[in-house]
Amino acid sequence: MERAAVFDVDGTLVDTNHLHVATWWEAFRQAGHTVPMHAIHRAVGLGSEDLVARLLGDGRDKDQDAELSAAHTALYGQYFDRLPALQDAGKLLRRLHGDGWTVVLATSASGPELSALRRAIDADDAITATASADDVEEGKPAPEPVEQALELAGVPADRAVFVGDTVWDMRAGSRAGVRCVGVLCGGIPRADLEEAGAQAVYDDPAHLLARLADSPLRQG
């Protein structure tokens, strides 16, 4: 029976979380908002609309949301040609593909950003499908991105594992009924990932690959 390995991308396979923090901080600054970087970091992984709402609150001028998102996209876009994959990210996906897992990405990225992330990972031969922001009504921590990934893979929740780096990933995976694996390379503490639903936590893709035999993604 098929098995699906579903992966978040930013902070999980590509080392981009702090680029998002810096570019969101600048987008807020340009719009006249002072938002601490540590608060932005904890919100990374949410879709743009949810991130802005979390950081500025319900009393904000919501007409400014699209402008803030566009500013962040423009600032972050300056890095598209040099986004750094985390160590062994592509190797991990190829190993899982070779072991019979259906590999699917579940990300809030879309369009040119998603293309840049996939170029950084450089493992398109191992990736069966991608559930992007364009495919869902609600982003993480809603389960819809993971559920969409499972639909693309044609695999039930009890035959899937979701790997991510934020509490939003762990909550989305838990709500979708899949086993969740956390990685620390996005900068979120182990205890927070475990509290949000991670059944196992690894340092980064390289660590997960090295420990694959005794992980939730083991063969068989």
Side-chain angles (χ1 to χ4, degrees), residues 9-206:
V9 180
D10 280 298
T12 300
L13 297 172
V14 187
D15 193 10
T16 51
N17 279 10
H18 290 87
L19 291 175
H20 279 298
V21 171
T23 51
W24 271 115
W25 177 85
E26 178 61 16
F28 284 124
R29 189 198 67 80
Q30 290 178 3
H33 300 289
T34 301
V35 182
M37 287 195 182
H38 70 84
I40 298 172
H41 181 219
R42 298 304 293 245
V44 167
L46 294 171
S48 294
E49 185 177 340
D50 291 333
L51 182 146
V52 172
R54 180 176 178 84
L55 294 171
L56 297 186
D58 292 335
R60 72 191 186 283
D61 177 5
K62 294 182 182 179
D63 291 340
Q64 198 180 52
D65 286 7
E67 183 180 327
L68 283 165
S69 180
H72 163 258
T73 298
L75 290 160
Y76 182 63
Q78 299 175 71
Y79 298 97
F80 281 180
D81 63 347
R82 55 192 187 281
L83 297 180
L86 285 152
Q87 183 180 352
D88 287 346
K91 189 175 180 181
L92 172 62
L93 300 191
R94 288 194 179 91
R95 168 66 182 277
L96 291 169
H97 177 70
D99 285 348
W101 291 82
T102 298
V103 177
V104 182
L105 307 181
T107 174
S108 58
S110 62
E113 179 182 349
L114 178 56
S115 296
L117 291 165
R118 291 185 66 140
R119 285 196 301 273
I121 299 166
D122 191 25
D124 276 356
D125 53 313
I127 299 168
T128 297
T130 300
S132 75
D134 295 332
D135 303 316
V136 298
E137 293 293 328
E138 286 189 273
K140 306 164 194 171
E144 191 177 351
V146 180
E147 292 169 344
Q148 175 66 16
L150 297 180
E151 184 176 335
L152 291 169
V155 172
D158 63 359
R159 295 286 296 172
V161 177
F162 179 45
V163 183
D165 68 296
T166 68
V167 296
W168 318 118
D169 293 325
M170 299 302 100
R171 290 176 184 172
S174 296
R175 291 169 183 172
V178 304
R179 289 169 292 167
C180 295
V181 169
V183 286
L184 300 174
C185 42
I188 301 302
R190 177 186 299 270
D192 291 7
L193 296 174
E194 291 175 340
E195 183 179 353
Q199 297 180 15
V201 179
Y202 300 89
D203 294 340
D204 53 21

